[in-house]
Amino acid sequence: MGMGLRERIMELAVPFFVERPGQRKGYSGVRADLERTAGTVAERIGWAQPTPASVKTAKHIIGLERWGQRRLEVALGKPLHIDEHHPYKPQGQELSPDDLRKEFEATRKRTLELVGQLEQKNYAEKIPHNGLGPLSVLGWLNYLNTHADWESRRLKHR
């Protein structure tokens, strides 16, 4: 059976929008991007209206980044565990925008710590993403940054 339209689009888009920018920027550029957007995304989460939709979006951003961190840890020697991002989301219905902002800040701090460890490791293998296919370490880092930035734009501010 042939490749579906979605798979074909992803096959063409991922190298252009995820991998190439990450490779071009290298670790220092990706680190700078992650640092630059950290404050912007945290601010958007902290100032979001405390609606169920905003809480869901903020939890999605945080959960996906934590899930990506776990995938990146494969480059540091942890076994690959194929799972979804949902278990990595902050738990609790009563989380305020400020609580979620703090959760994001701690999560992004951990991502930035991983960048230094990953740069030293110089891991050349690709690590699978459930929807995008195999990504390099720099592709993953670029993806996590872009994902948080874009998703946080959906938050409605007070």
Side-chain angles (χ1 to χ4, degrees):
M1 182 173 224
M3 187 182 299
L5 180 61
R6 182 188 183 286
E7 289 82 12
R8 183 72 181 134
I9 290 170
M10 295 307 283
E11 181 182 61
L12 296 171
V14 168
F16 188 74
F17 293 108
V18 179
E19 285 292 349
R20 284 186 193 146
Q23 298 300 324
R24 187 177 61 247
K25 293 172 188 175
Y27 283 98
S28 62
V30 170
R31 180 184 296 107
D33 285 353
L34 287 161
E35 289 170 346
R36 178 181 47 78
T37 61
T40 304
V41 173
E43 185 176 283
R44 289 175 184 155
I45 291 171
W47 286 101
Q49 294 174 1
T51 63
S54 289
V55 169
K56 182 179 177 181
T57 297
K59 285 181 174 184
H60 170 76
I61 292 166
I62 296 161
L64 195 129
E65 187 147 337
R66 289 174 176 170
W67 172 74
Q69 291 170 353
R70 178 58 187 90
R71 289 290 170 100
L72 284 165
E73 289 174 344
V74 168
L76 301 175
K78 286 200 175 180
L80 176 63
H81 181 65
I82 302 296
D83 58 359
E84 298 286 333
H85 76 279
H86 303 294
Y88 299 87
K89 293 178 184 178
Q91 300 302 309
Q93 297 301 317
E94 302 80 32
L95 293 172
S96 70
D98 194 53
D99 294 332
L100 291 164
R101 177 189 56 79
K102 290 174 185 171
E103 290 275 347
F104 174 77
E105 288 172 339
T107 300
R108 180 54 59 92
K109 181 180 178 191
R110 173 69 182 126
T111 300
L112 287 164
E113 290 168 0
L114 274 172
V115 173
Q117 295 170 19
L118 293 163
E119 185 174 18
Q120 292 175 359
K121 198 73 166 166
N122 198 24
Y123 187 78
E125 302 294 318
K126 292 198 173 189
I127 303 165
H129 180 288
N130 296 5
L132 302 179
L135 298 177
S136 68
V137 169
L138 288 168
W140 264 101
L141 292 166
N142 183 57
Y143 167 73
L144 292 177
N145 185 63
T146 303
H147 176 269
D149 185 39
W150 280 94
E151 288 288 324
S152 69
R153 293 169 192 259
R154 296 179 27 209
L155 295 167
K156 303 290 184 236
H157 295 280
R158 296 182 244 185

